[in-house]
Amino acid sequence: MPSTADDWARDLCRYVDASPSPFHAVDESVRRLEAAGFTAISPDDDRSTPGRWYLRSGGALVAWVDADRSADAPLRVIGAHTDSPNLRVKPLPDHGALGLRQVGVEVYGGALLNSWLDRDLGISGRLVVRNDDGRLEHLVRDDRPIARIPQLAIHLDREVSDKGLLLNPQTHLSPIVGAGLAEPGAFTTSLAAMADVDPADVLAFDAMFHDVVPACLSGPDDEFVSAARLDDLLSCHAGTEALIAVGGHDSIRDVGPAVPVLALFDHEEVGSVSATGAAGPLLHRTLRRFVNLDGRRVRGSLALSVDGTHGTHPNYTERHDGEHRVLLNGGPVLKFNAKQRYATDAPGAAELRQIAEKASVPLQSFVSRSDMPCGTTIGPATAASTGLLTVDLGVAQLAMHSAREFCGSQDPAMLGRLLEAALAG
Ligand code: ZN
């Protein structure tokens, strides 16, 4: 575990750079968990023996430490999501004109579309390839600046500064991916080359674009983190490191009194309803099969839904509630919403405040303006499927859903300390 808050933030940058797609985020968490002694288990395996386990499914992951605790030991679950808004490649993407090759994309999630313009883009994702045993999955990525969506020049769009930028997702967002004639199958051929396989063997792909500029600390005193996908890789990173801190000891007996669980879900940005999303059965089924969910003590059990939170924007303070200012580097933020778009209630908030006090971590509180709709996260779905007391919280950030987001550099480590204390029980 990194020793200072700056080191923690630099490690977060490494995690983000390793994770251009949800599949890569799971891969990076698995790499870290395996180095700490965790072992893969398949959903069809029998009940696990005591040990450190992880179950991987596409862009989702559930990991836990089974120290053979009695049913009296409560569950402590950390949930976060691996996906971020971006541009995803269509199944038959190749087109072009004027000697330029382009690929067709769909917008994934609530992306700030303007932030994808005039950026050097790389590509990543997974391929499913035919082989002798049936099929094999390959993760692929190319971090070279191989694609670009140039903005229309202001001389050809005179009203853009007064009336705002209007982007049609079908006609204005196709990245330019090269020069020459657009041949059918050209994009699949380029993916096949990344995996070093025959293009004819590629059965299907999930591919998406990413900003190739590495994440970094920014500000004259490294006060900030500037990175893609902070929502919600910041929480995936903190959750992974917290589970390793609690469960990665030499002796498995040294974990705290609770049963610690990490759940990283896909598809939060498009509503969580999928086999690997928080509204799907993955967590509930895994907890029932391997962690004795139904037999566990309810009192003391707790689920934390950890996701990015809006910091108060200095240029738009009127968009925020006046009594709930949320500061960068002010500590993790409890999220409240009367309509249960966030799952936090008074008992959950109270429990987390006591955990934070013990861990000497300051907490802030977020609530939306009453005349503005509120986003949601995986908390309500997790609460509904597991029945556990659930709290929504996260680190404050600006520019949420931009291709490049912004947060304080001291908050991620504070979140890590808080999650570690919560998992220990
Ligand atoms: Zn999020």
Side-chain angles (χ1 to χ4, degrees), residues 81 231-232 268-269 307-308 401:
H81 67 89
D231 171 14
D232 186 30
E268 191 274 341
E269 300 293 358
D307 201 351
H401 289 192

